[in-house]
Amino acid sequence: MKNINPAYKLIGVLVPIVIIAFVYNTVLNFAIVAVCMATLAVSRANWKNVLKVLIPVLILSVGMYMTGYKFHDGSNVGVGAATASLISGGAVGNGLQLASRVLAFGSLGMLFVFTTDTMKLVRSLEQQLHMPVKFVYGLLASFQLLPNISHEYKKTKAAFRARGRYPAAVSPALLTPLMVKAVRWSEALAAAMESQGFDDKARRTCYKPLVLRPIDCLFPVITTGLLMIGIILL
């Protein structure tokens, strides 16, 4: 999975996500989760990072299960009938349906995120999907600025603590300086690019061209085809 072209991998994941959004099949959803987890294991993903995302997804799926279990089609009938209905298969099935959809969407997202290099994805958007150069370079610049923003956030927080103040994590006192510095950094970067003669309309060469292989083009077809087979069989 890590060697698949990021742009075509994105298409191969987004198309199944759109399709399963209109399909209500609990068994299919759990099958998708199993395939995604197995693919992550084969791709040697960092399971420490996977678990950091998987645990909130599991918590959300449990919440959706309880919602579907409690508020299903028969929950608006009389008290006695509703109590009997809650322990029936309809309530459980409805809960599993909602929970499995959360897990399926989350698993497909994790499969893409943990097997894709961010920089390669941005380059692939330009080279394979022919995104505007300004858009691509803006993404590259923002990704490069993220470490600086994180470092500056820690510095600002330490400065407040040195003065005996402990603002909340999302306090405007912490976020406002970050926003101001991010704007200044972006302006300085734009000025530097213009001074070097950057022109988004000029024909450009690629420093690191991404070679497109037949398997890359077939990946969206394979994932969509397997999903359609699963829909028919399950």
Side-chain angles (χ1 to χ4, degrees):
M1 281 293 293
K2 291 184 178 180
N3 295 325
I4 300 295
N5 183 275
Y8 283 84
K9 188 194 302 183
L10 179 63
I11 297 173
V13 171
L14 282 180
V15 172
I17 286 177
V18 173
I19 293 174
I20 64 175
F22 298 94
V23 178
Y24 299 91
N25 189 322
T26 304
V27 178
L28 176 66
N29 292 337
F30 281 119
I32 291 173
V33 174
V35 171
C36 289
M37 293 298 107
T39 306
L40 283 173
V42 173
S43 302
R44 297 180 181 180
N46 188 334
W47 282 99
K48 183 178 180 181
N49 294 331
V50 173
L51 289 175
K52 289 181 180 179
V53 179
L54 183 59
I55 291 175
V57 171
L58 288 173
I59 294 173
L60 180 60
S61 66
V62 171
M64 292 300 293
Y65 171 81
M66 296 307 299
T67 301
Y69 181 84
K70 182 68 176 177
F71 304 101
H72 60 101
D73 289 341
S75 62
N76 58 349
V77 296
V79 177
T83 303
S85 179
L86 284 176
I87 61 175
S88 67
V92 174
N94 193 54
L96 288 176
Q97 174 62 247
L98 295 179
S100 64
R101 287 173 69 82
V102 172
L103 290 174
F105 289 128
S107 298
L108 287 170
M110 287 188 289
L111 178 63
F112 177 78
V113 170
F114 293 113
T115 60
T116 305
D117 181 82
T118 304
M119 293 299 123
K120 286 184 179 180
L121 172 62
V122 177
R123 295 190 185 100
S124 181
L125 291 177
E126 178 191 11
Q127 297 177 31
Q128 274 73 53
L129 299 186
H130 305 290
M131 291 288 186
V133 176
K134 282 186 177 180
F135 175 77
V136 173
Y137 275 80
L139 286 178
L140 288 173
S142 61
F143 284 130
Q144 294 294 340
L145 286 177
L146 284 177
N148 293 335
I149 293 175
S150 176
H151 179 66
E152 196 64 32
Y153 177 83
K154 293 177 181 178
K155 285 175 57 179
T156 307
K157 194 172 184 179
F160 274 105
R161 287 182 176 179
R163 289 181 287 175
R165 296 178 58 186
Y166 300 90
V170 292
S171 171
L174 288 174
L175 299 182
T176 302
L178 286 181
M179 182 179 66
V180 173
K181 289 183 179 181
V183 171
R184 289 180 177 176
W185 289 335
S186 62
E187 289 177 347
L189 179 60
M193 294 178 71
E194 290 181 3
S195 66
Q196 293 295 323
F198 176 78
D199 183 7
D200 62 301
K201 296 180 176 60
R203 186 177 181 84
R204 307 183 63 84
T205 58
C206 297
Y207 171 62
K208 291 184 178 181
L210 298 177
V211 179
L212 194 62
R213 303 167 302 166
I215 187 62
D216 298 323
C217 300
L218 289 175
F219 181 76
V221 179
I222 293 173
T223 55
T224 306
L226 290 176
L227 178 62
M228 298 307 296
I229 293 173
I231 292 173
I232 295 172
L233 296 180
L234 300 177

